[in-house]
């Protein structure tokens, strides 16, 4: 008998210990309700400097943005570094009928371009890394509505005024502070005339763009962007600035090399010395929640 | 020696199985009310997990803060990412005991009784010793219904408030809880 107990002594102790453990841990085990939480706020707004981001709108959100660029900084103090040249403006409204899809209508002042576009969201990065990136796309059609009354010869026909642009956006929020996006882009002009306010007169504009956001402190982030022309990689657009997230508005202040603000014109605006045509610009973004707020 | 251990074990097992008065829930309702001059709103969740053990006098509640919804998805995102920082601090929790529980009788509970719980309330990684008053009621099915309301001061838990324009949030948030805990 003594022998038998001796053998099981450790077993009994273990059982006892288990009991004690289960008693002392009588608190509830903390378990998350949502396991594969989606990554949020990869970027402050659906725009970063010049380009769209993967940052989605929620269903029934309306994103209003007004973007500006001014004259070149090298105009000097006489023209207040380009501010006196006046602003090029792009006004845009983007509405999301669903969490995955939105429609944009916009007007840019240079060449009086109206554009109509869509943005789709296919994948959203997950916090548990079961999905490492977010993937979205955008496509838009733009029409130059300048009446060209000042021309001696005939103004371009409607279809000759069209341009198209598409891009795939692949982003990742690497840390709480650092987000990056890679965007293969392509723009096509039906007839890129000399009179149009584009710097490059090619019809086809394949490009690769990247965007970076680094949250420096609180609601302030540093941003940088480059759009590289794949046909002539020495040509590019660059931009860098700061995002200020105010809770209601997102202000984006920057310097960029392109004056144009709509996407197709932007790709035709790449230059071989981007740092020599830098200019000041800023975006104001505001997202409105339409419809009934759901509980 | 061995006999003592066995006896001890046996007694313990009996105690646990026969006298357990555990009540649990996983779908308690939590509401927080944020009142500011120009912008009042509330946030809701129906995922309050709770345990009330009348034997051990243990109260333990937690909520996954990611389940809170204010009705505006973008505001929820900012709440999670910038203010509650739910990736680092996913839960709000309270663990404590009921004051003077030994004086509470079953018949009093059936009529509904105001009790005070004393314990640690933790959110955003910061614990505060709190004394929270609420009503406990044993219903006809033998389940325990809890109703309580208490203030949470954001600065107590080092939760930042939006400082620029935009949302307005008062430092004092009111939290309301309504839960039915099922007898185990």
């Amino acid at each position: 008998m003594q022998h038998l107990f001796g053998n099981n002594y450790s077993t009994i102790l273990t059982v006892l210990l288990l009991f004690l453990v289960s008693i002392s841990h009588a608190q509830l085990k903390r378990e998350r309700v949502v396991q594969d939480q989606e990554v949020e706020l990869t970027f402050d707004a659906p725009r970063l400097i010049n380009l769209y981001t993967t940052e989605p709108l929620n269903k029934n959100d309306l994103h209003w943005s007004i973007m500006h660029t001014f004259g070149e900084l090298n105009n000097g103090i006489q023209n207040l570094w380009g501010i006196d040249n006046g602003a090029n403006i792009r006004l845009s409204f983007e509405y999301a009928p669903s969490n995955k899809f939105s429609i944009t209508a916009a007007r840019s002042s240079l060449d009086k371009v109206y554009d109509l576009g869509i943005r789709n969201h296919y994948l959203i990065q997950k916090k548990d890394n079961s999905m490492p990136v977010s993937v979205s796309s955008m496509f838009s059609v733009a029409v130059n509505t300048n009446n060209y009354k000042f021309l001696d010869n005939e103004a371009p026909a409607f279809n000759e005024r069209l341009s198209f642009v598409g891009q795939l956006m692949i982003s990742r929020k690497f840390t709480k502070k650092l987000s990056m996006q890679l965007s293969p882009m392509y723009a096509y002009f039906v007839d890129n005339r000399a009179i149009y306010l584009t710097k490059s007169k090619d019809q086809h504009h394949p490009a690769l763009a990247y965007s970076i956001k680094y949250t420096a402190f609180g609601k302030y982030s540093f941003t940088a962007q480059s759009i590289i022309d794949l046909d002539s990689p020495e040509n590019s657009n660059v931009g860098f600035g700061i995002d200020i997230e105010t809770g209601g508005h997102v202000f984006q202040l920057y310097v960029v090399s392109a004056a144009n603000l709509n996407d197709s014109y932007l790709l035709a605006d790449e230059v071989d010395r981007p740092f020599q045509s830098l200019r000041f610009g800023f975006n104001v973004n505001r997202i409105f929640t339409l419809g009934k707020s759901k509980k | 020696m061995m006999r003592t251990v066995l006896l001890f074990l046996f007694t313990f097992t009996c105690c646990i199985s026969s006298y357990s008065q555990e009540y649990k829930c996983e779908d308690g309702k939590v509401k927080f009310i944020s009142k500011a001059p120009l912008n009042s709103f509330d946030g809701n969740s129906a995922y309050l997990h709770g345990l009330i053990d009348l034997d051990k006098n243990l109260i333990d509640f937690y909520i996954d803060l990611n389940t809170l919804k204010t009705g505006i998805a973008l505001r929820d995102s900012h709440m999670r990412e910038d203010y509650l920082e739910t990736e680092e601090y996913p839960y709000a929790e309270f663990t404590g005991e009921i004051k003077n529980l030994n004086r509470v009788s079953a018949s009093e509970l059936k009529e509904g009784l105001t009790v005070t719980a004393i314990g640690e309330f933790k959110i955003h990684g910061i614990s505060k010793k709190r004394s929270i008053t609420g009503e406990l009621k044993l219903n006809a099915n033998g389940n325990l219904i809890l109703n309580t309301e208490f203030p949470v001061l954001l600065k107590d838990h080092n939760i930042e408030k939006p400082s620029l324009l935009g949302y307005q949030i008062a430092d004092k948030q009111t939290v309301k809880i309504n839960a039915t805990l099922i007898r185990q």
Side-chain angles (χ1 to χ4, degrees):
Chain A
M1 200 60 179
Q2 194 66 37
H3 179 67
L4 201 66
F5 266 124
N7 266 352
N8 289 330
Y9 187 70
S10 56
T11 320
I12 292 166
L13 257 186
T14 314
V15 172
L16 185 63
L17 258 173
L18 273 174
F19 260 107
L20 286 176
V21 167
S22 67
I23 290 159
S24 62
H25 280 245
Q27 258 177 272
L28 294 169
K29 191 172 172 245
R30 299 326 190 218
E31 276 169 1
R32 296 214 190 180
V33 174
V34 188
Q35 298 288 346
D36 56 346
Q37 186 87 21
E38 288 177 349
V39 168
E40 299 177 287
L41 304 174
T42 303
F43 296 101
D44 290 321
R47 280 264 172 188
L48 184 129
I49 306 182
N50 282 150
L51 296 179
Y52 283 102
T53 66
T54 56
E55 196 58 40
L57 294 179
N58 294 290
K59 188 181 175 180
N60 284 330
D61 277 358
L62 178 72
H63 170 221
W64 167 81
S65 89
I66 177 160
M67 308 166 72
H68 313 71
T69 55
F70 295 88
E72 293 184 8
L73 293 174
N74 59 23
N75 275 302
I77 189 169
Q78 173 68 33
N79 286 313
L80 200 62
W81 296 280
I83 304 287
D84 288 355
N85 300 34
N88 311 307
I89 296 176
R90 182 177 194 269
L91 258 169
S92 85
F93 291 92
E94 181 180 18
Y95 173 72
S98 91
N99 289 338
K100 299 284 174 200
F101 170 70
S102 52
I103 308 162
T104 301
R107 183 191 186 272
S108 309
S109 57
L110 288 176
D111 270 351
K112 308 181 193 305
V113 171
Y114 287 83
D115 64 281
L116 205 59
I118 53 170
R119 200 158 64 105
N120 283 293
H121 308 285
Y122 307 105
L123 301 172
I124 294 183
Q125 189 186 344
K126 297 278 179 70
K127 284 184 176 170
D128 64 4
N129 256 328
S130 60
M131 177 50 62
V133 291
S134 294
V135 178
S136 308
S137 73
M138 68 77 61
F139 176 80
S140 81
V141 185
V143 56
N144 169 345
T145 66
N146 202 329
N147 62 20
Y148 294 111
K149 279 197 175 141
F150 53 89
L151 284 184
D152 291 335
N153 31 2
E154 215 175 307
F158 179 79
N159 70 313
E160 292 164 340
R161 295 162 175 270
L162 294 176
S163 59
F164 304 86
V165 64
Q167 71 165 305
L168 196 67
M169 296 94 91
I170 304 156
S171 75
R172 178 167 166 83
K173 191 174 187 177
F174 287 91
T175 68
K176 211 176 160 184
K177 290 171 175 263
L178 178 69
S179 300
M180 289 174 77
Q181 176 175 296
L182 201 64
S183 325
M185 303 180 72
Y186 180 82
Y188 171 72
F189 283 74
V190 173
D191 185 5
N192 197 351
R193 293 201 179 183
I195 193 74
Y196 294 176
L197 295 172
T198 51
K199 284 191 183 123
S200 155
K201 296 299 163 188
D202 293 341
Q203 267 189 301
H204 301 273
H205 294 274
L208 185 67
Y210 61 88
S211 309
I212 302 170
K213 186 202 85 163
Y214 181 78
T215 304
F217 46 94
K219 308 285 163 264
Y220 299 86
S221 303
F222 292 118
T223 55
Q225 191 164 70
S226 178
I227 307 170
I228 301 158
D229 186 334
L230 291 177
D231 274 346
S232 45
E234 68 279 7
N235 285 9
S236 64
N237 280 335
V238 295
F240 38 93
I242 54 169
D243 275 15
I244 306 168
E245 154 62 59
T246 70
H249 293 86
V250 178
F251 295 99
Q252 300 174 316
L253 316 179
Y254 49 82
V255 288
V256 277
S257 55
N260 275 299
L261 291 162
N262 62 303
D263 298 74
S264 55
Y265 269 62
L266 201 61
L267 293 195
D269 226 4
E270 291 152 335
V271 287
D272 58 352
R273 290 195 179 84
F275 288 97
Q276 288 184 9
S277 65
L278 289 180
R279 61 194 71 236
F280 177 64
F282 71 94
N283 305 341
V284 180
N285 297 278
R286 167 96 208 193
I287 291 171
F288 299 95
T289 301
L290 306 179
K292 253 201 288 189
S293 67
K294 53 191 184 301
K295 286 284 157 69
Chain B
M1 167 62 192
M2 237 30 292
R3 225 166 287 170
T4 327
V5 172
L6 272 179
L7 193 67
F8 182 68
L9 195 62
F10 178 72
T11 328
F12 232 111
T13 319
C14 289
C15 285
I16 289 164
S17 51
S18 62
Y19 286 102
S20 178
Q21 278 202 76
E22 258 187 29
Y23 300 84
K24 278 186 182 175
C25 71
E26 294 191 345
D27 59 353
K29 292 186 184 70
V30 178
K31 181 196 275 284
F32 76 84
I33 301 161
S34 176
K35 276 201 172 136
L38 289 172
N39 189 5
S40 293
F41 64 95
D42 51 45
N44 293 278
S45 165
Y47 291 98
L48 176 71
H49 286 57
L51 164 77
I52 295 180
D53 189 323
L54 296 177
D55 280 322
K56 295 184 200 135
N57 193 4
L58 172 69
I59 295 188
D60 189 34
F61 281 89
Y62 78 90
I63 178 183
D64 180 345
L65 294 168
N66 288 313
T67 61
L68 281 173
K69 300 267 188 295
T70 68
I72 294 179
L74 184 63
R75 180 164 62 195
D76 296 347
S77 298
H78 283 293
M79 179 175 71
R80 288 188 286 262
E81 291 290 307
D82 299 339
Y83 302 108
L84 296 178
E85 302 182 273
T86 57
E87 193 52 21
E88 283 162 83
Y89 315 110
Y91 308 112
E93 46 199 317
F94 177 85
T95 308
E97 58 178 41
I98 298 170
K99 204 171 158 185
N100 299 329
L101 180 68
N102 50 0
R103 289 190 215 150
V104 173
S105 70
S107 60
E108 279 181 310
L109 270 182
K110 277 179 188 151
E111 281 164 26
L113 188 67
T114 301
V115 295
T116 300
I118 295 166
E120 296 279 332
F121 175 72
K122 186 177 176 185
I123 187 171
H124 199 238
I126 293 174
S127 271
K128 284 274 163 200
K129 195 163 165 56
R130 294 290 300 265
S131 158
I132 292 167
T133 302
E135 193 201 46
L136 274 182
K137 188 176 184 185
L138 207 55
N139 73 5
N141 302 327
N143 299 325
L144 209 50
I145 296 165
L146 168 71
N147 273 299
T148 179
E149 181 179 327
F150 56 95
V152 173
L153 299 180
L154 298 183
K155 65 175 185 314
D156 277 357
H157 299 276
N158 206 10
I159 298 170
E160 203 192 323
K161 280 188 298 177
S163 51
L164 299 161
L165 8 154
Y167 319 130
Q168 270 198 336
I169 289 175
D171 189 51
K172 186 178 139 186
Q173 305 281 313
T174 304
V175 176
K176 284 185 177 179
I177 282 171
N178 169 243
T180 302
L181 296 103
I182 311 296
R183 171 103 195 227
Q184 298 299 297

